[in-house]
Each structure stands twice: as structure tokens, then as C-alpha cells.
Amino acid sequence: TTTQNQAAATQNLFCLNNVTHDRLYTHGFNEAQGNFQNNNFGLGGAQNDAVNAEGQDGAGANNANFSTPADGSRPRMQMFLWTQTSPQRDGDLDSDIVYHEYGHGLTWRMIGGMSGDIAGAIGEGMSDVVAILFNLDDAVGEYSFNNPNGIRSSRYANHPDTLRSFNRQRGVHRNGEIYAATIWDVWEQYQAGGQPATTLLDDLVGGMNFTPAKPTYIQMRDGVLAQTPASRDCMVWRGFAARG
């Protein structure tokens, strides 16, 4: 919480938000799809809604959040300190946390209705997907949590959950791991087929155009399949089938 550290945190948070905007833009989260920009340059959608990202927000600890109003209103990202270590660690310096939170804006704007036991879990899982595919790493939040396995119950490359593991009592973050683990399986299929992560992100973001609001796991799968060409359909099917 020194002045210099706060300046570095603010600069890093600003940079990561802009990186996330630009990378998701290339995959289809653009003005017409309700992305976050002050000026939409006549390309559709409503403007004046750049992300209001708050470093060291102070409203909580060991977490972060992202609220997404309708297109044309500014979303709010609240970033917190993580207190499990001494000295404390700052989520503003953890790209996993920033990418994850921005991912909530992606799904709320492109799909909508990402709340409740099932859709809320999918939203958490898809936010982890943004982090793990941007960083090409199967753990989330290692820096903030000061743990090489991150903040989830397991690293995604060896995650034990299937769709049968879903239980409302576990909460949306834990059930969200089912979806993120599924997409990690799909990513392994894409790699085996010689496809880069950018192609998978094209298919995932593009698939949101075919996904109904408040989706189920199956509807998320079907949205991706509606986007992918026949040459990649089997990769998606195998990844999802492995998780039930």
C-alpha cells in the first residue's frame, strides 16, 4: 500500500484491461456485440461505457468482482488485496484475476442472464477460461493466492470433475470449474489437431452468438458447435463428452 506500489498497481490494471479489450475484440467481442468503449466509431452498439476499473478498491479482500449494466452504461471492476500472505498481495498485479473479471463482462454482454446456479456457474467457468487461454496455463490466481495450484480445487489439466459432479450446494465457483475443465479438455483436442488457442477463442466467443440467455452447459456446447466448422466439430464433441 505504499505510494509507489499503488501507482504500479494502477498502471498494471489499466494495461491489463486494455489488453483484454483488444484481445477479445479480435475474437468478436466488438462494438456491435456490446463491448466496453467510450467511442464506438459508428460501428454499432452503445458507447460511453469503458470499464471503470478500481485498483485496491477496499470493499473486500481475497476476491474481486465485475458488475455489467446494459450496453451504454459503464461496468465496474473492483479489485482487492489478498491477505493470506505477509506482505499482502495485490490482485491488480495478477493477470488471471483481471482476465477472469473482464470475462464476466464478456458473457453478460454477449449472452446475458449469467446468474443462478447453472448459468452463474458457467459464467465463473468461462471467466476462468479467458484467464487460462490468455495465459496458456491451467491454474488461476497462483500469484494472489501464493500457491502454485491457484485458487481452484485443482489445476485444470488434471481436474477430476464431470457434469455429474454438479451440486448446487457447492456454489457457482466450484461448479464453474466443470465448465473450465471441459474447455481445457477441448483446448487439448485443438492442440492435438494443430490449432492455436486463438482459434479456440474465436470459436468460444463466436459461439456466444448462438447461445441463449441463462444457458445450461449443454446450450453452451451447442453454441460452440454452431460456430465451429465441420473440421473442428469432433474436437469440441470429444472435449465435452469427456466431461459427461
Side-chain angles (χ1 to χ4, degrees), residues 53-231:
E54 302 174 0
Q56 294 188 13
D57 176 273
N62 305 316
N63 208 334
N65 62 60
F66 194 101
S67 59
T68 314
D71 194 15
S73 296
R74 297 185 67 179
R76 183 185 189 190
M77 177 186 290
Q78 293 177 278
M79 302 295 292
F80 304 145
L81 295 175
W82 291 67
T83 60
Q84 294 96 337
T85 60
S86 181
Q88 298 172 359
R89 297 195 172 194
D90 190 341
D92 299 305
L93 302 178
D94 192 331
S95 63
D96 280 340
I97 306 298
V98 180
Y99 295 154
H100 173 100
E101 296 306 331
Y102 205 109
H104 284 301
L106 167 70
T107 53
W108 269 100
R109 283 283 171 90
M110 288 199 66
I111 301 174
M114 304 302 294
S115 61
D117 293 326
I118 297 174
I122 291 168
E124 294 296 342
M126 186 61 213
S127 283
D128 273 7
V129 167
V130 174
I132 61 182
L133 290 183
F134 272 20
N135 283 329
L136 299 181
D137 176 67
D138 70 324
V140 175
E142 305 99 302
Y143 171 77
S144 294
F145 200 48
N146 192 31
N147 186 313
N149 292 320
I151 59 178
R152 302 306 181 212
S153 67
S154 172
R155 297 182 71 105
Y156 283 121
N158 298 296
H159 205 288
D161 280 4
T162 68
L163 188 56
R164 195 173 188 173
S165 307
F166 182 89
N167 185 322
R168 287 177 171 82
Q169 302 306 312
R170 304 195 316 172
V172 293
H173 289 91
R174 185 69 177 82
N175 286 323
E177 294 178 32
I178 300 169
Y179 190 76
T182 300
I183 301 303
W184 188 265
D185 288 351
V186 174
W187 162 230
E188 291 181 337
Q189 293 291 327
Y190 272 55
Q191 290 180 86
Q195 299 294 329
T198 52
T199 299
L200 177 53
L201 282 163
D202 285 342
D203 292 342
L204 292 173
V205 176
M208 294 179 188
N209 292 307
F210 305 99
T211 304
K214 209 172 184 67
T216 65
Y217 293 83
I218 303 304
Q219 288 170 328
M220 288 292 288
R221 178 203 67 191
D222 291 347
V224 178
L225 287 166
Q227 170 68 23
T228 54
S231 61

Side-chain angles (χ1 to χ4, degrees), residues 14-59:
F14 175 81
C15 176
L16 288 174
N17 269 268
N18 281 279
V19 165
T20 315
H21 167 278
D22 293 355
R23 292 184 69 175
L24 289 176
Y25 193 101
T26 67
H27 300 300
F29 186 36
N30 54 30
E31 297 91 347
Q33 300 303 323
N35 76 341
F36 311 120
Q37 294 183 187
N38 279 341
N39 189 335
N40 282 8
F41 306 103
L43 297 175
Q47 52 189 27
N48 297 315
D49 60 354
V51 175
N52 182 34
E54 302 174 0
Q56 294 188 13
D57 176 273

